Amino acid sequence: MRALQKKLVRDLWHMRSQVLSIALVAACGMATYVTMRGCYESIEAAQKSYYEQYRFADVFAQLKRAPESLAARLAEIPGVAAVETRVVEEVTLDVPGLAEPALGRLISLPIRRAPRLNALFLREGRWIETGARREVLASEAFASANGLRPGDSIGAVINGRWERLYIAGVALSPEYVYEIRSGDVFPDNRRFGVLWMSREALGPAFQMEGAFNDASFLLTPGAREPEIIARIDTLLESYGSLGAYGRDEQISHRFLSDEITQDRVTGIFIPSIFLGVAVFLVHVVLTRLVSTQRNAIGLLKAFGYSNLSIGLHYLQFAGAALLLGALLGMPLGVWMGRGLALLYADFFRFPELLFKPGGQLFLVVLALSGGAAALGALAAVRTAAALPPAEAMRPESPPVFRAGLAERLGVQEFFQIGTRIILRNVQRRPGKAGLNVLGMALAVAILIVGFYFYDAIDYLVKVEFQTALRDDVTLTFSTAQSASAGHDLEHLPGVLRSEPFRAVPARLRFAHRSRRIAILGLQPGGQLRRLVNSRMEIVELPPEGVVLSAKLAQILGVVPGDAVTVEVLEGERMVQRVSVTATVDELIGLAAYMDIRALHELLRESGTLSGAFLAVDPPAAPRLYSLLKSTPAVSGVAVREAMVQGFYQTIARSLRITAGALVIFASIIAAGMVYNGARISLSERGQELGSLRVLGFTEREIGWMLLGEQGLLAAVSVPAGFGLGYAICMLLTTVMQTELYRMPLVITGRTYVLAFVVVALASAITGILIFRRMRPRSGPPLCPWKWRWPSAA
């Protein structure tokens, strides 16, 4: 082994604690990168494979009723490769063990052949037998949430008649990777499920023999989707079409794509912070190492070692620390990635979703570790290479004495000698002090980011599910009802208050932008459903015009005062210009609101209702649910408590896991930064503190001089970290803006206190370790530091 290699091994061993702290910080960054990037690649690969193998459609259309003969004309549209027509109906389900009524979406399957598009993957059981008119295939999410297996049965109200359906098998569809009903934001798999039924049974049940009300289209490569959608709309317009739309507006695909995009962004953003801290630590440690090894560098150059070889020597030191971090981080990232993939599999339903990081991913991790090592070691390597031998073998010039702030103010007498030494040392080396403060501030900032997710989740629930949504049950009619239905609801058992609403599907257009969405007509002054912005302020519904959620307004490119074109997608399909009177920055989903009277005027109808928000007396809720299960006019019942549970089981669950990992990693970084700062200060000031010990200072006084300085820097870094953490959270709220949810910029006092406590504990534990290291093992009492200080370097 060559001399420089022996020296490298000895340096790594003597500074093993600092090297390990750098490696742990780097491992946090590498593990996060492997986890997030690997999950992004795994989900994207699973999506692509699933869509291709099971022929997920490119364009979708729903309508009232059209003859099956129209399918041939739809297939003749240039650019259409295949067409699949279906019957799709929503019914009320009576699920064993579930008190509330559930909503089932019945989808027809072709007779004696597999679907051309949106094919099914049979997870369990068997296919429906020919002629079995009451057999169904149940979606896996719905079956799992309710404990249903092949052979079980459920009740259903089919076109006003109560029927019993038997589950033949459990299946998956690329159309329902994220299984959620229209209008909802979070899945409720207990109360909503997809059931596939033979067309020979479903068609006659809803008077759809020889007809269809749903169509899916597969396009040829290179086909122009907008032109094809326009042709489809032209053909289906007279059959009550709700307007064709592309895959980008299909609810399951959109939510899945948002998650993939977010994973890609966070997979770059979060690891960059950790690697930045690792680069900083490498820079600090190597700079101090070069400073303490000036004599050794001079001797090496005097013996003929070149600047290049010495520079590479210190670069290898950094590379070894970062390589150790990569070797620790990669298996940790794989373990975390597998756990995250299992979490995703709970609400993204693929035939197979495995965490399969490719070899290229690990090569990127190794390249990142090498780049971080080079970047962090750059300044130290340049310093070591530039030192002339004669200058290097001389000790550094002592700092020039200048009166400190305490001396200039004449208050030095109020401080003990140890405190004065601390203040002078900080003032004489402001650059070093600033770097230490910056490093610890970064650790505090990451802690703020980790705890921020908990604050954001709690605030989001408080705004959306406690302030905006105050009803217990949202009831939806199968078809629009007259105003008298609203009065009837008030007399249902257990209903304390009822507020009707009108929802109508529409396409909003502004310039070249458009979006399909349901306009929700609300009662002015309603108490069960209110408009609440992200600052928890109640927004009054204006008597005219439309109010858009801020995200929808951003998508359309409109501001209050603009007029949007509203194309109603039901009834007479009227088209009118409506002024945007206001926007409300809601945190969940996209929405358009109108005063229910203004919406009735727009639709040229009187008092028609789509459903109602109900306040329900809890003891009477079971009787109400039992009655609604057998009411044909009711197509859906959404329970607010179930919505909250759905949120916590999906978005909140994944965010909490991410936040927990961030907090653990940030705590490691905080401990590493504080410990490194103290150890470096100990190695630099070993002779000075040893001399003070010989002059009669006690161990406690020496410990105060060393650890008091670290405490002072930590005290300065905490508020700086608070500000930096707030800025990072502000950036995160911009990055994590999706159609599904928007993260609010809310950081509570609890988060700041917890971040301070973690840093304080790290500082206290570090102080104990450093103080124990300073205590003499053995030796003459007059010079207890004689053998201890050199090894501290």
Side-chain angles (χ1 to χ4, degrees), residues 72-86:
R73 295 177 60 189
L74 293 171
E76 292 172 356
I77 296 175
V80 173
V83 178
E84 184 76 64
T85 60
R86 307 179 297 185

Side-chain angles (χ1 to χ4, degrees), residues 22 36 55 121 214 225 247 317 322 325 334 347 373 454 494 524 541 592 602 620 627 662 693 747 775:
I22 295 172
M36 301 307 298
R55 302 178 298 283
F121 171 82
D214 187 279
E225 184 180 284
R247 186 185 286 182
F317 182 95
L322 271 298
V334 172
F347 50 92
Y454 294 99
L541 191 64
L602 175 70
L627 178 62
L662 276 179
R693 182 76 175 96
I747 304 177
R775 295 181 64 84

Side-chain angles (χ1 to χ4, degrees), residues 127 148 254:
W127 295 100
L148 299 174
R254 188 173 75 236

Side-chain angles (χ1 to χ4, degrees), residues 169-193:
V170 176
L172 298 175
S173 168
E175 196 175 2
Y176 295 97
V177 173
Y178 187 76
E179 188 170 314
I180 185 172
R181 63 183 172 185
S182 302
D184 285 355
V185 179
F186 306 108
D188 182 5
N189 297 132
R190 286 214 71 191
R191 297 162 186 85
F192 173 74

Side-chain angles (χ1 to χ4, degrees), residues 261-276:
T261 300
Q262 186 171 299
D263 282 350
R264 181 170 53 194
V265 172
T266 54
I268 296 173
F269 183 78
I270 300 298
S272 298
I273 299 176
F274 291 119
L275 290 179

